Amino acid sequence: MAIQKILTVLFLYLALAFLLVELTNAGGLQLGFYQRTCPGAELIVHQTLYRYISRDRTLAASLLRMHFHDCFIRGCDASVLISSTGNNQTEKDAIPNKTLRGFNVIDAVKSALEKKCPGVVSCADVLALVARGSVMMVGGPHWDVPTGTQRWKSVDCQRGFVQSTTSFRQHNCPETAICWRGHTIGIGHCTTISDRLYNFTGKGDTDPAMDPRYAAQLKKKCKPGNSKTVVAMDPGSFKSFDEDYYTVVAKRRGLFQSDAALLDDAETRDYVTTQSRTHGLTFALDFAESMVKLGNIGVLTGEQGEIRKRCAFVN
C-alpha cells in the first residue's frame, strides 16, 4: 500500500496499516483494570512522568513515538523496550528505533510501580499510559486507556529486529497515520530530511513538494552530512500539541516526505485543508480515537505473556 493511501479522511481505519505487518486485534482489556490489584497505579504513572516532562517538554513527542514504534511491528507488547543480549538482537536496536529516547522515563515509572505493587503492572500498559500522559501534559487530548495486558510473550527477539527493519522500509517512512498527527510536537534530525533537501531523485535536487522558501531555511540549518542538528517538526509550536500541524502541511512545509504525502491523496488532502481552515475543529477527537485503536492492536492478555520486573529484560 502506498503512503498516500494509508490513512482516510477521518483516520478511522488505522488498523489497516497494521494488517500489512500481520498484526491482530486482541480483546480482554478493560478500564480501571488495576483498581483492586494496584490502587493509584495511573496516578503513580502521572506523577513520575510529570517530573520528566516538566523539565523537558520535547520528551512528550519521543514517548508518543516510542509507543507507536512498539505497536507498529507485532502489536502493543512493549517488545521495543527489550535490550539486546549476546547474540539476540532486539527491536530496540533496529535502525528505525535507534533515535528513540525516553527509555529512562519508562524505567522510572516502572520502578515506582514495582515499589507499590510488585509484579502487577505490565510494561506495555506503562508505555500506553505514558504516551497518553505525555500528550496531555503538552496540551493534547485525553483518551481512555484500557489496561490488563501481559504484553510481552517470550518469542524470538531476533525476529522482532528483522520485522522492525523490514516493516519500516516497506512503508518508506518512520511513521504511519497516527504519528503523522503526532508531528505537531517534537523534532527531527537533519539526516532524516537530507535527501529531500539535497538529493531527492538522485540528481542533487530538492523535493518539489516542499515550499522552496521553507527548503531554503532548512538548508541553512541542515548542511550536507550534518548528523547532529535537529529542527522542529511544527515550527513555532513544536513543544505544544495543537492543530498548527495541518496549517504547516497545507502550506507545503511538512518536514518529512510522509507529511507531504498527505496532500497527494484527495481524501487526506481534504482532511488537512479542513483542519487548517477550521483551526482543528475535530483534531483532538480524531487523534484520541486513533490512539484507542492503536493501543488495542495485537495485545496479549491472561496467560499469553508475562509481567516483566524490568522493562528492558525478560524475567
Side-chain angles (χ1 to χ4, degrees):
M1 182 182 295
I3 295 174
Q4 294 90 335
K5 298 295 184 181
I6 291 177
L7 64 124
T8 65
V9 62
L10 293 179
F11 297 90
L12 296 181
Y13 301 105
L14 174 64
L16 290 177
F18 299 95
L19 289 177
L20 296 175
V21 288
E22 301 180 344
L23 299 181
T24 56
N25 193 333
L29 306 182
Q30 65 185 63
L31 294 175
F33 179 83
Y34 296 113
Q35 285 182 353
R36 286 189 296 177
T37 57
C38 189
E42 295 193 20
L43 179 60
I44 292 173
V45 172
H46 181 87
Q47 291 175 336
T48 307
L49 176 63
Y50 180 75
R51 292 202 298 269
Y52 288 87
I53 300 296
S54 61
R55 296 196 299 263
D56 181 6
R57 289 171 65 89
T58 65
L59 276 171
S62 301
L63 293 165
L64 173 62
R65 181 173 172 239
M66 186 186 296
H67 181 44
F68 174 79
H69 278 226
D70 177 54
C71 296
F72 184 71
I73 305 305
R74 295 184 310 203
C76 305
D77 58 3
S79 54
V80 77
L81 304 177
I82 299 284
S83 295
S84 298
T85 57
N87 295 323
N88 197 16
Q89 195 170 25
T90 64
E91 294 175 35
K92 192 174 185 178
D93 288 323
I95 292 176
N97 296 330
K98 287 289 190 181
T99 57
L100 292 179
R101 68 188 186 103
F103 293 103
N104 61 317
V105 179
I106 302 299
D107 290 342
V109 172
K110 177 62 172 173
S111 177
L113 288 167
E114 285 295 305
K115 289 180 180 178
K116 175 70 179 297
C117 315
V120 174
V121 182
S122 73
C123 291
D125 280 342
V126 169
L127 189 51
L129 291 168
V130 164
R132 179 186 66 180
S134 297
V135 169
M136 291 179 61
M137 288 177 191
V138 293
H142 172 276
W143 63 88
D144 290 331
V145 178
T147 49
T149 62
Q150 308 292 9
R151 301 274 188 129
W152 196 76
K153 190 187 290 185
S154 297
V155 295
D156 182 9
C157 293
Q158 181 71 31
R159 187 179 68 202
F161 171 81
V162 174
Q163 284 182 337
S164 181
T165 302
T166 302
S167 297
F168 281 107
R169 283 176 180 170
Q170 287 175 341
H171 285 75
N172 196 32
C173 66
E175 327 287 0
T176 56
I178 188 65
C179 274
W180 280 339
R181 293 189 200 167
H183 286 181
T184 186
I185 52 175
I187 54 181
H189 289 78
C190 286
T191 51
T192 62
I193 59 171
S194 180
D195 284 347
R196 289 197 78 195
L197 296 178
Y198 297 107
N199 198 31
F200 186 65
T201 64
K203 300 179 180 179
D205 55 342
T206 302
D207 184 355
M210 181 181 287
D211 174 22
R213 290 172 295 181
Y214 181 50
Q217 292 174 11
L218 290 174
K219 287 181 179 180
K220 292 180 180 179
K221 296 181 178 180
C222 297
K223 301 299 182 182
N226 186 333
S227 61
K228 296 182 179 180
T229 303
V230 295
V231 291
M233 288 193 285
D234 187 355
S237 63
F238 72 97
K239 293 183 180 181
S240 299
F241 197 97
D242 55 35
E243 73 284 353
D244 285 349
Y245 168 71
Y246 292 108
T247 300
V248 168
V249 172
K251 292 179 178 179
R252 298 168 54 212
R253 293 192 165 203
L255 187 64
F256 302 117
Q257 190 175 353
S258 56
D259 300 320
L262 296 178
L263 299 178
D264 292 339
D265 177 80
E267 289 182 313
T268 57
R269 182 171 59 252
D270 287 346
Y271 186 83
V272 168
T273 55
T274 297
Q275 295 302 319
S276 176
R277 186 177 62 253
T278 62
H279 302 289
L281 181 63
T282 63
F283 169 71
L285 177 61
D286 293 343
F287 184 83
E289 289 180 350
S290 292
M291 289 302 296
V292 172
K293 288 177 180 291
L294 173 69
N296 281 309
I297 292 175
V299 299
L300 302 173
T301 58
E303 299 300 320
Q304 292 178 299
E306 67 178 10
I307 305 296
R308 302 201 300 273
K309 296 178 181 180
R310 297 173 62 190
C311 294
F313 302 98
V314 179
N315 290 343

